[in-house]
Amino acid sequence: MDSYSIVQAAIARTKDELSNDNFVPWKFHPRNSIFEPPSNVSYGTISNVAIQQNSTDPSNVLKPLAGAVDESYSLIITVNGAVMINAVSSVGIIRALETFTQFFYTTGDGNSIYTNLAPVYVQDAPKFQHRGLNIDVARSPFSPHDIMRTIDAVAYNKFNILHLHATDAQSWTIQIPALPPLADLGAYMKGLSYSPDDLAAIQTYGAYRGVQVIIETDMPGHTAAVGLSYPDLVAALNVQPGWANYSAEPPTGQLKLNDSAVYDFLEKLWADLLPRVNPFSAYFHTGGDEVNANVYGLDPTVNSNDTKVIQPLLQKLVDYNHDKVRAAGMTPVVWEEMLLQWNLTLGADVVVQTWQTDTAVANVVAQGHKALAGDANYWYLDCGRGQWIDFAQSTAQAAWPFADYCTPTKNWRLMYTYDPLAGVPANATQLVLGGEVHIWSEQVDGVNLDDMVWPRACAAAEVLWSGSKDASGQNRSQVTASPRLSEMRERMVQRGIGAGPVQMIYCTQNGTQCAS
Amino acid sequence: MLLANYIASLLCVLNTVLAIWPQPVEFEHGSKVLWLSPGFKVHYKFEEPAGILGTLQSRLMPWWYEHTTSIVDQSSKDILDAAVGRMRNDLISTSADSPSKVFVPWKFHPKDAIPEPGTVKYENIIYSITFLFRRPYTLQPQIEESYSLDISSEGHVLISIYHPLGGLQALTTFRQLFYKHSDPSEATSPYTPYIPLSIKDVPVFEHRGLNLDISRNIVTPAEVMRTIEALAMNKFNRLHLHASDAQSWPLEIPALPELAIKGSYHKDQTWSVGDLHEVQTFGALRGIQVYLEIDMPGHTASIHAAYPDLIKSYNRQPWPNYSAQPCAGQLILNNSAVTNFVSTLLDDLLPRTEPFSALFHLGGDEVDANAYDMSPSELAPYLQDFVDHAVSKVHSHFLTPIVWEEHILDYNLTLPNDTVVQAWRARTPNGRSAVAEVVKRGYKALFGTNEYWYLDCGFGGWRDPDLTNPDSPVKSPYLDYCSPLSNWRHIYSYDPLADIPESQQHLVLGGEVHMWAEQTDGMNLDSNLWPRAAAAGEILWRGKGVVSEDVTRRLAEMREWLVAKGVRAGPVQVTWCLMNPGNCRQ
């Protein structure tokens, strides 16, 4: 796998998408109107696409730290049919070719592919360097095929990160050959886990598309699934009833915090997993969200729910993990609680992923740390589907109408208004590497994944690529975004992504008729 | 009364988990395992062979409306034979290329602890299913759909029914009793762990429907047929196709050819006469009457493309003053050209749809008086004349008219007493539900309020902001008018008879769950419908329900059935919770 093969693969995909996955754009013109180029006129024909890479790829082109690979490009299509693509890196060429495909339509007779937008001049570069989708593959099963299909869709939208939330309380999805029982017993079913080959295939698939696949093994919270194979390592394993005192969701359980056996376990885990991930990832996510202090009152190695007791032990664990991540040649990512709630001292290299409030990003960068945006109030794709917890008859009435904690649904318009830089002082914006849109999978699996993520995640992708404000500093216009999003949805459907419609066809056929 | 007696005569209910959705009225079962022989046979017996045989061998239609005639030229036995054939295809794997549509129930048991049987034993096999046609002593629709299903420890299966419709429902239940074995060598035929088994079942409501909008976005006949399969699995018996609206007219009307050619979104995206016939036949064979709605006089702007002279206030701006959504435009009232148009339309369409359903929906929601530059009271007499004419057409084709509630609740129209009024608003100005108001006035009613049973709610607004309007209602957080999304528990908690006096409850024929299509088309239809519509399906079959973990688990199994059948229904519950009963309660 080298720059040449990456670009060649991108060219092959581009040809395939243009010839096989294109569409007739009738939904975007008045009904029964003639919108195709008349056949009695002669047109320029594109027979060559000149691609020029202006620089040699850096050695880490497959797995850059944020900003280390230049994704900018220019694209020119003349009326005569000359096409010139210029980019600094092979990833820039991938982005340019994606843009190129989006200029083309199929004629109604299916015989020709055309663009009616020539001459075209595009100069493009991303606003944010970390543009990700976080997909929870632990709470519900997702096949490697589901993930690869999602990588396709992610790449269509010029995201460059797929964050796999690969372990949680409910299941452990990554096979660790050094610790075979972990996935054998911790996955929902033996075999419903990712083998080393699966993981390498997923990461390779991403790398060919300019999408770095980052792995998260969440700890010390969200680790009850470890208890299925190593019960002695987990405190407060599946407390019932009364789980709500010990975790946000059942089952409860956190890695014991002051136990040498836990460190022995982690040493084996890291020695096995990190070298396998390293060829494809600059980052490794060690989790750290929702650590519950009460659990450590039940942890015989801690015996206290006092944060003053817990904090230094947490610091030690995170230091240990992060040293291992660094030693394996990667940069640690943690959830915001480690910094903002537990006040841990983190290395300057650590990226802090925020999610909880609209001030978290500003608070992280105020402490001089790099931050990822992705506020649950805007960018949680799972919100609004209702409670999944069961209620006894005695509690059901109080729970009516069974709304979930982050209701309502975050529709694309709301997602489109989210500014990752909100509240961040101008002199600290460089610390905001970008952000991620999140799909937690309590009520999502491979069957409804596409519909839950797309087209809404496209709105986040545009914010991350272009910023949430236009050149005049105003929020980007939904009026112009809406038909473009509808068109993107049509392309994605043609390419095999089960994305729902953005609007009625009536609206897309009739310009601004659906404004009020 | 008869129905109550029938139910009272049945067995006591055993409070055991039998993963049937919707849950049968009465059931008891053991825990012995039986396997279904791949070559199982079907036998038909008749309680009263002489005379009654002729009735049973008559046409599938009419279901119970004596005045309808049938072009579905199949005997009762043929219908059940076909249903058994479909079930055989679903349950039995004939080759690797055609896997069965049964699943291994690993999600419903602790890890590696599926209580699976060992190898197939000679004596543990179901070789045949016997249908016993009982003497029909009533024409009550619910009795026609009732059935009893008994499976003995020796593997004798007896299904007792009064009508083929009951046989279809029995087979739907029978199918859900079976699981696939995790050992592929055992997986060619399925097993059931619920033997001996005795079920007696009858629906509470006779009209159990889905209203599917095929106008605002494109839903193809193939997608509708997939939906019919899913509806049948959940024991619905009506599919209401909202077939025309302001935005498009997809239905081909040969007598008015321009209507669909110009009024559809695309001339290749219409419903031909053959499409409609195929879909209605497909439904009929699965116990589902597919009936049509032509919404009028509102929601008719799409007629303007072919017949501009028939539409008043077409695309009048600002549209919010003249309609609930763009495009404004309503059929002109008191106009002979419109009357002729409606006559031509209905004379073309009704004879084609009449063999498949006794119902025809004339719409009537959201008629905007402003579009006629009148007050509602000024408009009412004209509307009365319009509806009288349309209803007379429906009657002349021996069908029963359905209208939306506004005709009687907003415009105080007087309608024939056979009219079924479909209520959708949760509350009227006096605080009662629209259903309660409808039956109070003596009309038959269908329930399904937008506060509980609108599946399109909660996905956010689809309107774009008007940049020239400083008071644009399109603003953060961009919610839709009926936000939030009705989750399945909320749907399940709907008590349609809550504010209806017992003396008027007989007027409530049943209800419909609604799928309006502003943000739904074939791509996301399945996941917007299922599993939530299934929650409505159980309320329609059983009446008011109470959420519980048992309900969650049964619905989660139904979801696996739907997925196995190729319907993209989202998960009901975290897999861990299903594998660990009792652990996800609050």
Side-chain angles (χ1 to χ4, degrees), chain A residues 421-443:
Chain A
L421 298 178
V424 176
N427 64 1
T429 54
Q430 79 286 351
L431 290 171
V432 182
L433 301 182
E436 296 185 356
V437 58
H438 302 262
I439 182 73
W440 301 104
S441 65
E442 282 88 349
Q443 295 175 90

Side-chain angles (χ1 to χ4, degrees), chain A residues 313-350:
Chain A
L313 296 169
L314 211 46
Q315 180 76 54
K316 182 183 165 204
L317 177 79
V318 171
D319 285 346
Y320 176 84
N321 287 341
H322 286 187
D323 284 347
K324 290 289 185 187
V325 169
R326 289 186 192 101
M330 290 184 282
T331 297
V333 185
V334 293
W335 292 108
E336 66 173 59
E337 288 96 319
M338 293 292 94
L339 182 72
L340 299 182
Q341 182 188 344
W342 294 93
N343 295 311
L344 299 194
T345 303
L346 301 171
D349 57 335
V350 174

Side-chain angles (χ1 to χ4, degrees), chain B residues 31-54:
Chain B
S31 55
K32 184 184 169 177
V33 167
L34 287 178
W35 299 75
L36 183 63
S37 166
F40 70 88
K41 301 281 192 288
V42 179
H43 304 294
Y44 297 93
K45 290 183 177 173
F46 300 89
E47 193 175 72
E48 197 168 306
I52 202 67
L53 187 62

Side-chain angles (χ1 to χ4, degrees), chain A residues 31 185 187 238 240 243 387-388 390 395 402 409 411 413 445 451 478 489 503 506 513-516, chain B residues 111 247 263 265 315 327 458 462-464 466 472 478 487 489 521 527 552 559 573 583-586:
Chain A
R31 75 183 70 184
L185 301 177
N238 195 21
Q240 296 281 357
W243 56 262
Q387 273 284 5
W388 52 271
D390 285 308
T395 56
F402 309 104
T409 305
N411 59 72
R413 293 174 197 280
D445 66 12
D451 182 42
Q478 288 177 28
R489 181 263 176 171
Q503 275 189 329
Y506 172 81
Q513 293 285 327
C514 291
S516 71
Chain B
K111 192 172 160 69
Q247 291 81 13
Y265 277 135
N315 201 20
C327 175
W462 49 268
R463 286 184 294 175
D464 291 311
D466 179 352
S472 171
Y478 306 102
N487 60 74
R489 284 188 182 81
D521 68 10
S527 52
T552 305
R559 184 265 175 167
Q573 177 61 293
N583 280 238
C584 293
R585 289 183 187 158
Q586 206 166 51

Side-chain angles (χ1 to χ4, degrees), chain B residues 263-322:
Chain B
S264 66
Y265 277 135
H266 188 282
K267 60 183 169 49
D268 299 338
Q269 300 283 348
T270 57
W271 279 61
S272 70
V273 171
D275 289 335
L276 182 61
H277 186 272
E278 183 183 9
V279 165
Q280 290 192 299
T281 305
F282 191 91
L285 291 173
R286 286 158 182 79
I288 293 183
Q289 284 189 33
V290 179
Y291 76 94
L292 294 180
E293 176 189 355
I294 298 295
D295 198 355
M296 54 191 165
H299 293 270
T300 47
S302 59
I303 294 172
H304 183 272
Y307 301 97
D309 296 342
L310 305 184
I311 302 297
K312 175 88 172 166
S313 294
Y314 173 75
N315 201 20
R316 194 168 170 185
Q317 300 292 344
W319 61 262
N321 294 353
Y322 306 103

Side-chain angles (χ1 to χ4, degrees), chain A residues 26-27 31-32 139-141 169-171 183-190 192 228 238 240 243-244 249-251 378 384-393 395-396 400-404 407-414 417 441-448 451 477-479 482-483 489-490 493 497-507 509 511 513-516, chain B residues 106-107 111-112 216-218 246-249 261-267 269 302 305 315 317 319-320 325-327 452 458-467 469 472-474 476-479 483-485 487-490 493 517-521 523-524 527-528 546-549 552 559 563 567-577 579 582-586:
Chain A
W26 62 268
K27 290 183 184 175
R31 75 183 70 184
N32 303 316
R139 287 187 175 88
S140 282
Q170 291 81 8
S171 89
D184 281 355
L185 301 177
Y188 275 135
M189 186 165 71
K190 190 170 177 179
L192 266 187
L228 295 172
N238 195 21
Q240 296 281 357
W243 56 262
E249 305 180 339
Y378 292 85
R385 297 290 159 150
Q387 273 284 5
W388 52 271
I389 287 285
D390 285 308
F391 298 94
Q393 283 195 29
T395 56
W400 189 91
F402 309 104
D404 53 90
T407 196
T409 305
K410 315 309 171 202
N411 59 72
W412 79 263
R413 293 174 197 280
L414 181 70
T417 63
S441 65
E442 282 88 349
Q443 295 175 90
V444 185
D445 66 12
V447 176
N448 64 339
D451 182 42
S477 166
Q478 288 177 28
V479 177
S482 178
R489 181 263 176 171
E490 295 301 315
V493 167
I497 310 298
V502 175
Q503 275 189 329
M504 290 184 279
I505 297 168
Y506 172 81
C507 301
Q509 282 186 330
Q513 293 285 327
C514 291
S516 71
Chain B
W106 64 268
K107 289 182 185 173
K111 192 172 160 69
D112 301 325
R216 286 186 174 87
N217 266 313
I218 290 169
Q247 291 81 13
S248 90
W249 185 291
I261 290 173
K262 293 186 174 172
S264 66
Y265 277 135
H266 188 282
K267 60 183 169 49
Q269 300 283 348
S302 59
N315 201 20
Q317 300 292 344
W319 61 262
Q325 52 181 226
C327 175
Y452 285 88
F459 291 102
W462 49 268
R463 286 184 294 175
D464 291 311
D466 179 352
L467 300 179
N469 177 6
S472 171
V474 180
S476 186
Y478 306 102
L479 302 180
S483 183
L485 179 142
N487 60 74
W488 78 261
R489 284 188 182 81
H490 187 238
S493 69
E518 282 87 348
Q519 294 175 90
T520 301
D521 68 10
M523 288 312 297
N524 62 344
S527 52
N528 284 352
V546 178
V547 295
S548 71
E549 187 176 2
T552 305
R559 184 265 175 167
V563 171
V567 177
R568 295 191 307 276
V572 170
Q573 177 61 293
V574 183
T575 308
W576 188 87
C577 300
M579 296 175 79
N583 280 238
C584 293
R585 289 183 187 158
Q586 206 166 51

Side-chain angles (χ1 to χ4, degrees), chain B residues 21-88:
Chain B
W21 188 280
Q23 192 172 52
V25 171
E26 303 186 7
F27 57 89
E28 50 185 28
H29 67 87
S31 55
K32 184 184 169 177
V33 167
L34 287 178
W35 299 75
L36 183 63
S37 166
F40 70 88
K41 301 281 192 288
V42 179
H43 304 294
Y44 297 93
K45 290 183 177 173
F46 300 89
E47 193 175 72
E48 197 168 306
I52 202 67
L53 187 62
T55 307
L56 291 168
Q57 296 279 5
S58 74
R59 315 243 164 143
L60 173 62
M61 295 290 176
W63 299 110
W64 56 78
Y65 292 83
E66 291 178 25
H67 55 249
T68 61
T69 56
S70 176
I71 60 164
V72 180
D73 192 16
Q74 296 195 72
S75 72
S76 302
K77 177 177 172 301
D78 291 337
I79 289 159
L80 291 177
D81 276 345
V84 168
R86 292 194 303 270
M87 186 181 79
R88 193 188 300 271

